Amino acid sequence: MKQVVQHMGSGKLELADVPEPACSSGGIVVRNVASLISAGTEKMVIDFASKSLLGKAQERPDLVKKVLDKARKDGIAATFRSVTASLSTAMPLGYSCAGIVANVGRDASEFAVGDRVACAGMGYASHADYVFVPRNLAVPVPENVSLEDASYVTVGSIALQGVRIATPTMGEWIAVIGLGLLGQLTVQLLRANGCRVIGIDIDPSKAAQARKLGADIACARTEDVEGIVRNATNGIGVDAVIVTAATDSNDPTELAGELCRERGRVSMVGAVKLDVPRKVYYMKELELRLSRSYGPGRYDPAYEERGQDYPIGYVRWTERRNMSEFLRLTSTGAVTPSALTSHRFAISDAKAAYDIVLGKAQVAFSGVVLQYATIDVAPARRVELRSRKPVDRPGIGFIGAGGFANAVLLPRFASLSSISLVGVATARGMNATNVGKKFKFEYATTDTSQLLSDARIAAVVVATRHATHSKFVVDALRAGKAVFVEKPLAIDEAGLADAVAAQRETNQLLTVGFNRRFSPLAEKMKQAFPPGSRLAMTYRINAGHVPPAHWVHDPQDGGGRIIGEVCHFVDFMQYLTDELPTDVFAYSVGGDEGALHDTVAIAIKFTRGSIGTINYFATGDRSVPKEQIEAFGGGTVAQLDDFRALTIARGGKQSRTSLRTQEKGFDREIAAFVSAMGGSVGLPIAIESIVATTRATFAIEQSLLSGAPVSVPR
């Protein structure tokens, strides 16, 4: 299928061939009929992508600060890989579309194949033949509303939320500053609400258009706007201003204050400079209100991605309800999106459409709609990226290719001459295609069975979200593939049992991405202790804050940070001692910060008497190095500082080994897995150790809940 993508590093706009998206349980796959180009938002994305690296840095100093912080913490090499991976990504364009439901996920039963729906959301409602959309970002389209008009649903919902934030009442005078698509729809919504409307724009033609669509007064910014408003309102000023402009200028913010009556309201919808002139806002005691996109639920992963609705008794107008209401108003004729459509292009002519939006073609426009084939042709779930050649080396398939895989795993696998990258599968076709091209895979797909049935693929790397790990591990093992799975192996006992059973049945190679034990400093640290030493260990992790709404905290999606990351540190202690954990006891910080179980102190006892304490803290400052490990035993003390330096004290003397860059063992970990595939070495990590680590994290969770020690089952 075709999809419009923006390459963030080069600035190239491309109509790419990508596989049809997979249908996840909580959403639907939609065959697009129409999608709306949002001139303001999409132009900003394209303009940013087209800037040089210096230009990007100047525009986003916040990102520069993050890069510098990462460089101080993780080193130049790791930071360079991360930045390069980010800049090499392709971003889907578009966030407002309408079409026909082609596939329905298990938990989206309110939809049926063949339904007409309108869809919203950046990264979901894209300019593509087919899109996957979570259930809370899709709504039915009334029978008398065309799918082209319905494709305005996102911009319409943003306008509607901006009106709601302004709380207009019948008969009030409301000024709308900025008469692009958002402003024109706002004018119509205000008229439907019984308000008197004054439209203002720097373009006189936009003002003329607003008059045709119902504005009582519309004027260009070059006119005496303040005088016009005074005359219309008998010197009082407008009751509220809704700013729908997109500009770096502070003029809309200043003008809004001048136009308002005393104790008026200013609703900020568009992206404008917010240098609020205190005097006028203070003297009039104005209310400045910011409207957050299409309404409550926006930017909440639990709502948008996981389909958790807000009770209507507490949140009357969510973003989904705003979407439905906009379509209802369209069905009554109160809003007429078709009056705004100035250009229509087939998806195959998308570049010509963007030439207009970007100003390359000097043509006046308002609404630019992309149209798609109305014939339902079965889409491909796989795209060939390079000619297939006989694989004379073990073939590797990737399931999942997110940020970590792009920055850490894929570059290292791609650099190995002893293997061949064959197929990559992700839920979104654009991501699979982008990664496939970048790392020279033969094909990209959204169907994991393509990899599992490919006889040329000897091993599968699983790098998806945590909740899916055990399923993909089981499927791959039973398909006769060796498996490298990023941690954790499973997020619950059932998933772990399935994975272990599959490994024992098939006797296939299985390893988990516990990379730290492969660090050269870790090896040297272990060798510092006499064989058989019982160790007393302390592992301190300055983990950093992860927002509560992040998927990693979700019990059904990420499993929490104990299962998802503390497993690393349990494994490292097992590596140092060659012992398995038998008992754990854990406390978390009380109050709201402790509710997430990401600021915890954990005590662990091991089979031969070694003990360890893991202090995993999420409430510190990132300027402090992330990890420090101390181990005592056999008359020796070893201190490992963030995998950069190792100090060993023995016999009253100290020796120190320092590395120029942080070395967490990724290269040696992957090399060990590839060697084990060929049978030249044993397992990179014993299965018993992997299982013990996983069960120890489950036991830690139980201890945190019970407040008592918990034994780790064998």
Side-chain angles (χ1 to χ4, degrees):
M1 71 172 196
K2 299 293 186 182
Q3 180 164 12
V4 180
V5 300
Q6 175 67 52
H7 293 273
M8 298 309 293
S10 66
K12 179 185 176 184
L13 184 74
E14 181 186 6
L15 184 62
D17 285 308
V18 303
E20 177 205 353
C23 188
S24 301
S25 61
I28 55 178
V29 171
V30 177
R31 175 174 60 82
N32 267 340
V33 172
S35 62
L36 177 71
I37 296 179
S38 173
T41 301
E42 294 185 50
K43 186 176 184 300
M44 283 193 296
V45 171
I46 295 169
D47 287 345
F48 178 76
S50 301
K51 292 180 183 293
S52 65
L53 192 58
L54 177 60
K56 289 181 174 76
Q58 290 173 333
E59 186 166 327
R60 293 293 306 275
D62 57 317
L63 295 181
V64 174
K65 184 178 183 300
K66 288 183 179 180
V67 170
L68 294 175
D69 287 345
K70 183 174 179 61
R72 282 191 290 267
K73 184 177 68 172
D74 297 338
I76 299 296
T79 303
F80 178 78
R81 285 192 294 266
S82 180
V83 171
T84 301
S86 296
L87 290 176
S88 66
T89 59
M91 180 178 180
L93 290 179
Y95 61 86
S96 193
C97 66
I100 309 297
V101 175
N103 201 349
V104 178
R106 182 181 64 250
D107 298 327
S109 57
E110 67 267 44
F111 297 100
V113 172
D115 285 353
R116 301 164 75 246
V117 293
C119 310
M122 185 70 76
Y124 294 114
S126 308
H127 302 310
D129 287 319
Y130 286 81
V131 294
F132 169 80
V133 184
R135 60 191 295 265
N136 276 350
L137 293 175
V139 292
V141 176
E143 289 185 4
N144 66 332
V145 174
S146 71
L147 289 175
E148 181 178 291
D149 278 2
S151 72
Y152 279 75
V153 68
T154 304
V155 181
S157 301
I158 294 170
L160 182 55
Q161 179 65 12
V163 170
R164 294 195 192 284
I165 291 296
T167 60
T169 58
M170 190 174 292
E172 283 190 316
W173 278 104
I174 312 291
V176 179
I177 301 177
L179 296 173
L181 283 184
L182 198 54
Q184 300 289 353
L185 291 170
T186 300
V187 167
Q188 295 181 63
L189 291 167
L190 289 168
R191 288 290 294 175
N193 199 60
C195 298
R196 292 174 286 180
V197 185
I198 300 173
I200 305 154
D201 197 275
I202 58 174
D203 184 350
S205 68
K206 300 291 188 186
Q209 187 179 33
R211 282 192 292 271
K212 291 179 181 178
L213 293 175
D216 296 88
I217 299 169
C219 55
R221 183 66 181 96
T222 54
E223 299 179 56
D224 180 13
V225 176
E226 294 177 42
I228 291 170
V229 169
R230 279 196 303 272
N231 290 337
T233 62
N234 295 320
I236 297 172
V238 296
D239 298 283
V241 176
I242 301 178
V243 178
T244 53
T247 175
D248 292 333
S249 168
N250 201 51
D251 182 67
T253 303
E254 296 171 2
L255 181 61
E258 297 294 341
L259 299 184
C260 268
R261 64 167 170 82
E262 288 194 10
R263 296 182 177 82
R265 294 102 57 198
V266 177
S267 174
M268 286 291 181
V269 183
V272 299
K273 190 174 182 181
L274 271 175
D275 187 3
V276 178
R278 185 180 188 279
K279 183 176 180 181
V280 65
Y281 277 71
Y282 172 78
M283 293 302 294
K284 290 185 177 181
E285 204 172 39
L286 301 180
E287 292 184 50
L288 177 61
R289 306 173 179 181
L290 271 67
S291 177
R292 187 171 63 183
S293 198
Y294 9 121
R298 187 71 183 108
Y299 309 113
D300 179 358
Y303 180 91
E304 293 189 329
E305 297 177 15
R306 299 193 283 275
Q308 299 174 12
D309 200 3
Y310 300 158
I312 197 168
Y314 293 89
V315 184
R316 177 63 183 91
W317 293 108
T318 60
E319 58 181 314
R320 193 184 196 190
R321 292 171 194 140
N322 274 340
M323 291 165 65
S324 292
E325 179 59 15
F326 173 76
L327 294 178
R328 187 194 71 81
L329 290 168
T330 301
S331 74
T332 67
V335 182
T336 54
S338 58
L340 296 171
T341 302
S342 62
H343 294 81
R344 298 172 179 85
F345 290 88
I347 182 66
S348 57
D349 294 327
K351 289 185 179 179
Y354 278 94
D355 282 345
I356 290 177
V357 171
L358 297 173
K360 296 179 181 179
Q362 299 298 313
V363 179
F365 71 94
S366 51
V368 180
V369 173
L370 297 179
Q371 298 174 322
Y372 302 81
T374 56
I375 301 174
D376 191 3
V377 179
R381 296 285 300 276
R382 169 170 165 165
V383 170
E384 303 298 328
L385 302 177
R386 60 184 175 92
S387 58
R388 180 182 299 189
K389 298 178 181 179
V391 177
D392 56 358
R393 296 163 292 172
I396 302 290
F398 258 75
I399 300 178
F404 179 79
N406 263 276
V408 177
L409 298 180
L410 280 160
R412 288 175 166 88
F413 274 98
S415 70
L416 298 176
S417 60
S418 58
I419 55 97
S420 177
L421 298 182
V422 178
V424 55
T426 69
R428 306 293 168 260
M430 187 210 68
N431 186 36
T433 301
N434 184 56
V435 168
K437 289 179 178 178
K438 178 181 176 183
F439 293 103
K440 296 181 172 57
F441 282 87
E442 288 186 14
Y443 62 86
T445 181
T446 55
D447 180 4
T448 57
S449 67
Q450 297 271 339
L451 273 59
L452 302 183
S453 63
D454 192 333
R456 297 171 306 147
I457 293 178
V460 169
V461 178
V462 178
T464 53
R465 287 191 175 183
H466 299 168
T468 62
H469 284 187
S470 59
K471 176 188 181 302
F472 287 132
V473 166
V474 170
D475 291 346
L477 289 172
R478 290 187 171 148
K481 315 296 184 187
V483 177
F484 178 107
V485 58
E486 250 313 304
K487 51 79 188 169
L489 174 58
I491 66 168
D492 55 34
E493 190 63 50
L496 176 63
D498 289 344
V500 172
Q503 195 280 326
R504 288 174 177 164
E505 290 168 14
T506 63
N507 200 32
Q508 289 290 336
L509 170 63
L510 169 64
T511 195
V512 179
F514 296 139
N515 55 282
R516 285 160 175 79
R517 64 162 58 212
F518 294 94
S519 168
L521 291 182
E523 181 180 18
K524 191 167 186 176
M525 183 178 189
K526 180 175 182 175
Q527 292 172 349
F529 295 98
S533 297
R534 294 183 178 87
L535 301 185
M537 301 164 287
T538 300
Y539 202 138
R540 192 274 295 151
I541 305 97
N542 180 26
H545 175 71
V546 173
H550 193 280
W551 65 267
V552 76
H553 290 301
D554 185 82
Q556 278 72 51
D557 202 5
R561 298 184 80 180
I562 299 297
I563 292 171
E565 190 179 16
V566 169
C567 54
H568 268 310
F569 317 123
V570 175
D571 173 78
F572 191 84
M573 288 185 171
Q574 289 182 204
Y575 167 73
L576 285 184
T577 60
D578 287 324
E579 301 177 47
L580 301 179
T582 61
D583 300 273
V584 302
F585 191 12
Y587 281 114
S588 65
V589 168
D592 294 340
E593 290 177 332
L596 294 174
H597 289 175
D598 63 357
T599 297
V600 297
I602 304 161
I604 305 178
K605 183 179 178 181
F606 292 87
T607 46
R608 289 190 299 102
S610 292
I611 57 174
T613 301
I614 297 174
N615 293 317
Y616 185 84
F617 301 153
T619 52
D621 183 85
R622 286 190 178 273
S623 64
V624 173
K626 183 179 179 182
E627 299 174 38
Q628 290 185 336
I629 308 107
E630 288 188 330
F632 296 72
T636 302
V637 178
Q639 298 172 311
L640 180 56
D641 294 323
D642 215 24
F643 294 90
R644 292 172 180 270
L646 174 66
T647 302
I648 297 172
R650 185 189 301 113
K653 298 181 180 180
Q654 293 188 6
S655 63
R656 183 175 176 84
T657 303
S658 298
L659 304 179
R660 295 183 63 183
T661 60
Q662 187 181 61
E663 177 51 77
K664 285 189 175 181
F666 293 111
D667 292 301
R668 291 172 28 142
E669 170 193 40
I670 291 168
F673 174 71
V674 172
S675 295
M677 284 173 55
S680 61
V681 298
L683 294 176
I685 308 175
I687 295 299
E688 293 75 15
S689 178
I690 293 171
V691 172
T693 294
T694 309
R695 285 186 170 148
T697 62
F698 298 163
I700 292 166
E701 288 280 7
Q702 294 172 27
S703 179
L704 287 168
L705 293 173
S706 67
V710 175
S711 296
V712 180
R714 294 291 184 91

